[in-house]
Amino acid sequence: MPTEDREDLTARADPVAPAATADPMAPAAPAVRFDRVTKRYGDRTVLDGLDLEVGRGERVTLIGPSGSGKTTILRLLMTLERVTDGVIHLDGEPFSHMPGGSRGKLVPANERHLAVRRRRIGMVFQQFNLFPHMSVLENIVEAPVHVLGESREDAGRRARDLLELVGLGDRADARPTRLSGGQQQRVAIARALAMRPGILLLDEVTSALDPELVAEVLDVLRDVARSTDITLLCVTHEMGFARDVSDRILMFDRGRIVESGPADELLESPAHERTRAFLGSVR
Amino acid sequence: MADLLPVAAGFLPELRRALPRLAEGVLVTVEATVLGAALALVLAYALGLLSRSDRLPVRGGARLVVEFFRGTSLYVQLFWLFFALPMLGFRLEPLACAVLALGLNYGAYGAEVVRGAVAAVPRAQTEAGIALGMGAGLRLRRVVLPQAHALMVAPFKNLLVQLLKATPLLSLVTVPDLTFQIDQLRSSTGATAASYLLLLGLYFGMAVVLSLLMNALERAAKARLGQEGGA
């Protein structure tokens, strides 16, 4: 309706055509690649020519002061925002852009280009964002049935399995508004996983929770990280959790990566003064 | 009050004789209200959603239609359909004119209700839909509109009662509605005060019934959002 029919008529996007920018010599394309990505709101630059690669199955945590651009990275990847400049690649193919115009020059992606590709990505939000007019089970079943075309029986069975996984097997018929914050967030995790995403984005998923509810959510996520090979991009202030699940931690400040390294290394002996100051402030 | 009594004595037998015609009048008023409201609802949705389009010509066109029918009086619209349109070669039944005028006028007001309610559903709900791979149409149908409906019921209730109260205008274009029939009764009996008192009571009764129906709808819509006991 309002946005779906916004098609770029000059674009002849062929989803299976090799992308002009893909490197044929690369062994395996990274799951996510930001290529000189800039994001501005008006004259405020949130990301400034960011280069970032996340390998398949890699778990990366983004840390840094608020306003440093971490959440913007997740929102750009989820297509909730559009890049101002630069290109985001998914599995080695342009995602934020698509071949179009003359000689396969990249143009900003239209809705059709994004629609199929973004199904590889799932996201869990700080405020849960469950659908209040649906039961817990309906929240989880909704997209598998209406987007992936699964049968109600199959989707329902899998939803119940996922509810068991997040420890809410007995709340399938409850309204989200009747659940605690921690329970709602666990439902949101199950809902995201129901779409079988290859990449899961976690945007400060415990920041809106009462302190005593944080652990139950993080335990579920540790489980997910342990039992799947999903690619994780995580923005969090929970350093213990970051250390447990991350292969790599990136320290952000003012839209740039200040420092990056293996979780233990970066948390134990940060090389950069800015990182030391930040870690000192969150502990 | 005492002055009314002698008149009322002659009025009651007349009223009894007029009852079948009054019942017909009530039916015509109900028919115009229901059909007008149905057309208004369809137009409200169409215009309300189109006025949120990303395309300027679509949005602009919808806004223009809404502003035109909100900005010109129902009275003039009705007279135009009934007296002016036949001069252009289109003659509509009086009731059809009535339904069309009510539908266009209240549809334009309703479009603002739909637009506002859709805009009031938090952006985060749309984002959750995007994150689940839902396209724009699916998000609107399955996520945004069900939540917007709960916000629309109360303002729609007001519009519906206002629409009912606007139907006496129809008697001016020869639609034999309740007001038309009561007017006949009044001129045959001369009991002006009693006739119009009866008319007030009948409209009030119909408005109360409509309100009760809409209140039930509102409770159902709120319960579906998990806001039991709201309002």
Side-chain angles (χ1 to χ4, degrees), chain A residues 18-169:
Chain A
T21 54
D23 180 0
M25 304 304 282
V32 174
R33 185 159 71 85
F34 278 55
D35 184 8
R36 303 179 62 80
V37 168
T38 294
K39 177 65 183 174
R40 282 188 213 98
Y41 296 98
D43 54 4
R44 198 167 64 89
T45 302
V46 181
L47 293 178
D48 186 9
L50 177 78
D51 288 316
L52 170 66
E53 276 191 17
V54 179
R56 252 175 238 210
E58 194 182 10
R59 282 76 197 268
V60 175
T61 296
L62 316 178
I63 63 170
S66 58
S68 60
K70 306 159 301 193
T71 288
T72 302
I73 292 173
L74 301 192
R75 292 179 60 82
L76 285 171
L77 199 48
M78 195 64 258
T79 71
L80 302 178
E81 315 270 353
R82 300 295 150 90
V83 299
T84 309
D85 203 10
V87 179
I88 300 173
H89 299 264
L90 217 54
D91 298 321
E93 293 192 12
F95 174 51
S96 64
H97 289 66
M98 61 185 192
S102 56
R103 297 171 188 237
K105 199 168 167 291
L106 289 181
V107 298
N110 60 22
E111 188 56 33
R112 194 197 299 166
H113 179 87
L114 298 175
V116 179
R117 288 165 180 79
R118 71 157 74 98
R119 286 188 205 158
R120 263 187 63 61
I121 309 174
M123 184 161 181
V124 181
F125 298 87
Q126 185 176 344
Q127 300 289 349
F128 335 130
N129 301 358
L130 294 177
F131 302 134
H133 56 299
M134 299 180 190
S135 72
V136 163
L137 191 77
E138 287 165 344
N139 261 276
I140 302 173
V141 162
E142 176 66 21
V145 169
H146 288 100
V147 176
L148 301 181
E150 290 180 16
S151 75
R152 253 176 205 290
E153 296 70 47
D154 290 352
R157 216 172 301 124
R158 184 166 151 74
R160 287 181 191 281
D161 288 348
L162 286 165
L163 280 175
E164 288 296 335
L165 177 80
V166 301
L168 292 170

Side-chain angles (χ1 to χ4, degrees), chain A residues 2 5-6, chain B residues 50-64:
Chain A
D5 51 3
R6 194 166 59 175
Chain B
L50 287 176
S51 59
R52 287 180 53 81
S53 168
D54 289 333
R55 295 178 175 189
L56 183 62
V58 175
R59 193 169 66 234
R63 298 292 313 158
L64 192 70

Side-chain angles (χ1 to χ4, degrees), chain A residues 42 126 132 190 204 216 240 277:
Chain A
Q126 185 176 344
E204 304 203 29
E216 65 188 54

Side-chain angles (χ1 to χ4, degrees), chain A residues 1-5 75 78-80 118 121 129-134 142-143 146-147 175 177-178 191 195, chain B residues 52 54-55 123-125 127-128 130-138 140 142-143 146-147 224-226 228:
Chain A
M1 289 204 155
T3 56
E4 202 162 45
D5 51 3
R75 292 179 60 82
M78 195 64 258
T79 71
L80 302 178
R118 71 157 74 98
I121 309 174
N129 301 358
L130 294 177
F131 302 134
H133 56 299
M134 299 180 190
E142 176 66 21
H146 288 100
V147 176
R175 289 275 158 187
T177 45
R178 296 278 176 200
R191 181 174 71 169
M195 288 296 283
Chain B
R52 287 180 53 81
D54 289 333
R55 295 178 175 189
R123 161 82 185 156
Q125 290 288 309
E127 294 187 346
I130 293 173
L132 290 168
M134 301 169 81
L138 199 58
L140 184 69
R142 303 281 311 175
V143 176
Q147 298 182 56
R224 232 173 295 130
L225 284 189
E228 284 91 331

